[in-house]
Every structure is written in structure tokens, then in C-alpha cells.
């Protein structure tokens, strides 16, 4: 594996986390007064987390976690209305790196989770209205999460994940309503990489995920009015997995890279979403898995998209005004390789999917659901995908390579309100 050299994080490890918490309480589900959270956070320096483990064996398992966050804010109400007015700016590097090595066996688990986030905010309430205007700007050099793992023996479960996110805003409401605006801008590189060399495990899962800008909304019995504006102008958003293992029961490598992402899930009688997304940087996802012998399924999957919007409503009305522009090149590669004699009696699966712009919207069919859609998608970036499979003695093989410029799906599907 040519990528095994460790790209050490420069600088002294720093643990800086700015956070805000607010909770409003009331004796009934509807509060007579609400709470307002005014949040301004500016992080000018680097935020770096490092984790190293080097042991001969770990009979009871080995678990590592490294987390770096530039700015973090939470404003949550319980039975009271919340107005969240927030501005976050990250101007330094956000980086996390894990280096776990167990030379022998690791018993039940060999697990590593590495994550880096430039700006993170969460707001919502229960039994009342959630409102707000949030702005997140990551104009630092970039956000990076990397894992370099080595397992010389055996573990029942081996897992390594690296997750890098420039900006993320979450809204959560139950038995109330959501009316908010979220604006995000990311000008740096967003990079995740998981690099693994392992002997054996019952189940092996190795992943890397990179997202430039992310907005998540999850509501229950609460109408939604949400406006989203996302701009990703960094040079690249990339995720890569390089994993080599001698034997496994099930073996999976997966890499996902997304320039701008918006995911809204609700079940109310009214969900209205306006989304504007612009991705100018390259999007690259690479999943390379090499396995000797395995008894179950060996899979390698890579997915990359410039702009993505998903609005799923198990309620009666879904309205979406979507405007997506992708200018970055989308390059996706997935491969699964096995040595002679490996994989007998098992299945192999490889998929590589690349999309310039993607939008999906759903409403409930069994509650007289309706859709109101206005969609515009422009893709000027190239889309290239490659899937490679080289195995010996397997029972079944499935392989797919899909390159799509623009895709839109609008549907009224089964559900309940």
C-alpha cells in the first residue's frame, strides 16, 4: 500500500472547544414566553487532536477516539420556544489524527473513530416553536481527519472511521414547528483518509467521509419552513480508504465525499424547503480494498456528489425550491482485489457512483400527499467513475459504475401521518 506513510499533523496538539447551551422549561407543552440565544464564536488558531496507541496485544479490546472541533454551540428548549441567532467563524486548521497499532490480538474489538469539524451547531425544542438564523464560515486552510491503523493479530470486530466536516448545522423539533435560515460557506480543503493494514477479523468495516457543508433537520409532528444557502469553494472535498487484510468473515471499505449536503426528514402536514447550493471544488472518493480470504461478503463502495438535497416527509405536503450549481470535477474510484485462493464460497461487490447535482423529495401517499417543486440544476464539472474487481473463486460478483451529471427524483410514496 503506497499510502502507508504517516502524514503527521504539524503543530502542538490543542484542545479548544467553544460551546453554548441553553434550555428553556415550562410546565405545559406550549410556553407563554420563549428564549433567545445570541451566539458569536470566532476561532482564529488551529485546533488539532492526536491519538497514538502502540501495544503488543489487547485481550479485552482496543478502542480509540480523536475529535477536533473549531466552534460548537447548542441551544435546546424543553417545552419552550427557542430563537437561535448564531454566527460561527473558523479561520484555523481543524485536524484530528489516530495512529492505533496492536501487534498481536485485540480480543473482541479493534475500533478507531477520528473526526474533525470546523463549525458545529445544534438547535431545537420540544412542544414549541424553534426559529433562528445561523451563519457558519470556515475560511481556514481546511478540515482533516486521518486514521493510520495496524492490527497484527485477530479481533472479532475491526473498525476504523475518519470523518471530516467543514460546517454542520442541525435542527431538531418535536410537537412544535421549525422556521429557520441556515447559511454556510467553506473555502478550505475537506479531507478524510482511513489507511489500514490488518491480519484478520470476523467483521471488518473501514470508512472515510468528507462533507464541505451540511444542514440536517429532523422533526416530528412539526411543520417545517427552512431556507438553506451553501457555498463550497475549497480546492477539494475528498475521502479515501486504503485497506489491506489477510482474512475476514465480512469485509467492507466505503468512501463518501459531498461538497454541499442538506437532509430534511419530517412527518408533518407541511414541509417547505428552499435550498441554494454552489460547489466549485473537486470532489473525490476512493475506496480500495485488498483481501486475502473471506467467508461472507467483501464489498468496496465509493460515492461522491457535488450538491445533494433530500427532503423526505411522511406528511401531506412537501414543497421544495431547489437551485444547484456544480463546477467541480467529480472523480470516483472503487476497487476490490483478492489473492489467489481467497474468497471461495463468498460474494464480492464493488460500486462507484459519481453525481454532479442530486435532489430528491417525497410526500406521503396514504395521507393525500402533494408535492410542489421548483428545480434548477446546472453541472459544468466532469464526472468520472471507475469500478475494478479482481477476485478468485467467489460464488457471485456484482459490479457497477455510474456517472450522472444531474439527477432529480420527486415522488409521493407510502407512509402515515
Amino acid at each position: 500500500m503506497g499510502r502507508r506513510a504517516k502524514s503527521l499533523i504539524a503543530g502542538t496538539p490543542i484542545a479548544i472547544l467553544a460551546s453554548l447551551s441553553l434550555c428553556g422549561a415550562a410546565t405545559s407543552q406550549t410556553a407563554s414566553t420563549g428564549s433567545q440565544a445570541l451566539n458569536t464564536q470566532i476561532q482564529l488558531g488551529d485546533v488539532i487532536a492526536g491519538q497514538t496507541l502502540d501495544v503488543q496485544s489487547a485481550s479485552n479490546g482496543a478502542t480509540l477516539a480523536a475529535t477536533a472541533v473549531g466552534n460548537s454551540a447548542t441551544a435546546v428548549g424543553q417545552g419552550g420556544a427557542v430563537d437561535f441567532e448564531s454566527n460561527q467563524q473558523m479561520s484555523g486548521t481543524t485536524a484530528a489524527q489516530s495512529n492505533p497499532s496492536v501487534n498481536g490480538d485485540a480480543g473482541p474489538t479493534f475500533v478507531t473513530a477520528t473526526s474533525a469539524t470546523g463549525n458545529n451547531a445544534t438547535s431545537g425544542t420540544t412542544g414549541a416553536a424553534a426559529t433562528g438564523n445561523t451563519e457558519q464560515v470556515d475560511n481556514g486552510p481546511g478540515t482533516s481527519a486521518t486514521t493510520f491503523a495496524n492490527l497484527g493479530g485477530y479481533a472479532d470486530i475491526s473498525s476504523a472511521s475518519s470523518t471530516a466536516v467543514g460546517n454542520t448545522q442541525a435542527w431538531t423539533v418535536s410537537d412544535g414547528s421549525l422556521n429557520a435560515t441556515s447559511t454556510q460557506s467553506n473555502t478550505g480543503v475537506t479531507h478524510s483518509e482511513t489507511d489500514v493494514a490488518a491480519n484478520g477479523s470476523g467483521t471488518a468495516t473501514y470508512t472515510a467521509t468528507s462533507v464541505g457543508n451540511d444542514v440536517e433537520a429532523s422533526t416530528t409532528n412539526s411543520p417545517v419552513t427552512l431556507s438553506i444557502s451553501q457555498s463550497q469553494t475549497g480546492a477539494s472535498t475528498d475521502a479515501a480508504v486504503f485497506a489491506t487484510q489477510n482474512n475476514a468473515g465480512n469485509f467492507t471499505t466505503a468512501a463518501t465525499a459531498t461538497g454541499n449536503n442538506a437532509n430534511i426528514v419530517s412527518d408533518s402536514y407541511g414541509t417547505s424547503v428552499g435550498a441554494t447550493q454552489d460547489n466549485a471544488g473537486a470532489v473525490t472518493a476512493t475506496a480500495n480494498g485488498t483481501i486475502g480470504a473471506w467467508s461472507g461478503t467483501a464489498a468496496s463502495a465509493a460515492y461522491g456528489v457535488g450538491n445533494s438535497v433530500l427532503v423526505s416527509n411522511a406528511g401531506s405536503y412537501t414543497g421544495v425550491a431547489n437551485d444547484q450549481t456544480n463546477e467541480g470535477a467529480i472523480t470516483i474510484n472503487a476497487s476490490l482485489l483478492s489473492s489467489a485462493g481467497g474468497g471461495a464460497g463468498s460474494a464480492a461487490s464493488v460500486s462507484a457512483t459519481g453525481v454532479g447535482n442530486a435532489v430528491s423529495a417525497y410526500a406521503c401517499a396514504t395521507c393525500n400527499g402533494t408535492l410542489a417543486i421548483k428545480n434548477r440544476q446546472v453541472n459544468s464539472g466532469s464526472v468520472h467513475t471507475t469500478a475494478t474487481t479482481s477476485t478468485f473463486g467467489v460464488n457471485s460478483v456484482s459490479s457497477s459504475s455510474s456517472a450522472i451529471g444531474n439527477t432529480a427524483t420527486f415522488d409521493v410514496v407510502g407512509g402515515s401521518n
Side-chain angles (χ1 to χ4, degrees):
M1 300 196 335
R3 298 294 295 273
R4 284 297 299 170
K6 297 182 180 180
S7 56
L8 295 177
I9 300 173
T12 303
I14 308 171
I16 299 176
L17 180 65
S19 65
L20 168 74
S21 294
L22 180 149
C23 179
T27 57
S28 64
Q29 286 192 328
T30 303
S32 58
T33 60
S35 300
Q36 185 178 58
L38 304 177
N39 177 57
T40 299
Q41 295 173 315
I42 300 174
Q43 175 62 36
L44 300 177
D46 296 341
V47 177
I48 299 173
Q51 178 75 268
T52 298
L53 172 71
D54 190 356
V55 298
Q56 182 59 38
S57 64
S59 59
N60 292 326
T63 302
L64 280 81
T67 303
V69 182
N71 295 303
S72 180
T74 302
V76 178
Q78 297 292 333
V82 173
D83 179 35
F84 185 44
E85 307 292 328
S86 177
N87 184 289
Q88 295 175 313
Q89 178 181 327
M90 178 59 183
S91 296
T93 295
T94 309
Q97 180 169 309
S98 297
N99 298 286
S101 179
V102 177
N103 296 322
D105 293 339
T109 55
F110 178 69
V111 176
T112 303
T114 310
S115 66
T117 306
N119 294 304
N120 177 64
T122 301
S123 185
T125 190
T126 300
T131 59
N133 296 281
T134 64
E135 181 177 8
Q136 296 173 316
V137 176
D138 191 337
N139 57 5
T143 304
S144 174
T146 54
T147 302
F148 300 93
N150 177 73
L151 175 62
Y154 178 88
D156 293 339
I157 297 174
S158 60
S159 171
S161 64
S162 303
T163 304
V165 182
N167 298 304
T168 181
Q169 170 69 53
W171 301 95
T172 304
V173 181
S174 178
D175 297 319
S177 63
L178 173 62
N179 191 334
T181 298
S182 293
T183 302
Q184 297 175 322
S185 173
N186 187 0
T187 63
V189 171
T190 308
H191 169 74
S192 64
E193 180 176 343
T194 298
D195 198 328
V196 180
N199 179 41
S201 60
T203 300
T205 306
Y206 308 121
T207 65
T209 304
S210 292
V211 184
N213 296 305
D214 179 53
V215 173
E216 304 282 339
S218 177
T219 69
T220 303
N221 193 31
S222 305
V224 175
T225 302
L226 184 60
S227 177
I228 300 168
S229 178
Q230 297 172 316
S231 173
Q232 167 63 34
T233 59
S236 64
T237 303
D238 64 274
V241 178
F242 304 94
T244 297
Q245 186 156 323
N246 292 332
N247 60 81
N250 295 308
F251 175 80
T252 301
T253 61
T256 303
T258 307
N260 295 304
N261 182 67
N263 185 33
I264 295 88
V265 178
S266 65
D267 64 354
S268 74
Y269 56 84
T271 295
S272 297
V273 177
T276 300
Q277 297 177 320
D278 185 359
N279 177 67
V283 174
T284 304
T286 303
N288 289 343
T290 301
I291 180 70
W294 73 97
S295 58
T297 299
S300 184
Y303 177 82
V305 58
N307 298 302
S308 177
V309 171
L310 171 62
V311 181
S312 180
N313 180 26
S316 58
Y317 172 81
T318 300
V320 177
N322 181 61
D323 191 335
Q324 295 174 318
T325 302
N326 179 65
E327 302 164 352
I330 313 295
T331 306
I332 312 300
N333 295 287
S335 67
L336 179 65
L337 310 176
S338 71
S339 57
S346 59
S349 172
V350 178
S351 66
T353 304
V355 184
N357 296 302
V359 60
S360 298
Y362 304 92
C364 169
T366 58
C367 43
N368 299 317
T370 59
L371 291 171
I373 305 297
K374 182 179 180 180
N375 182 50
R376 176 182 180 270
Q377 295 173 307
V378 178
N379 179 49
S380 59
S382 61
V383 182
H384 295 279
T385 64
T386 303
T388 303
T389 309
S390 178
T391 65
F392 294 83
V394 296
N395 280 344
S396 64
V397 177
S398 64
S399 179
S400 65
S401 179
S402 302
I404 304 168
N406 299 300
T407 180
T409 303
F410 309 114
D411 201 0
V412 178
V413 297
S416 61
N417 192 25

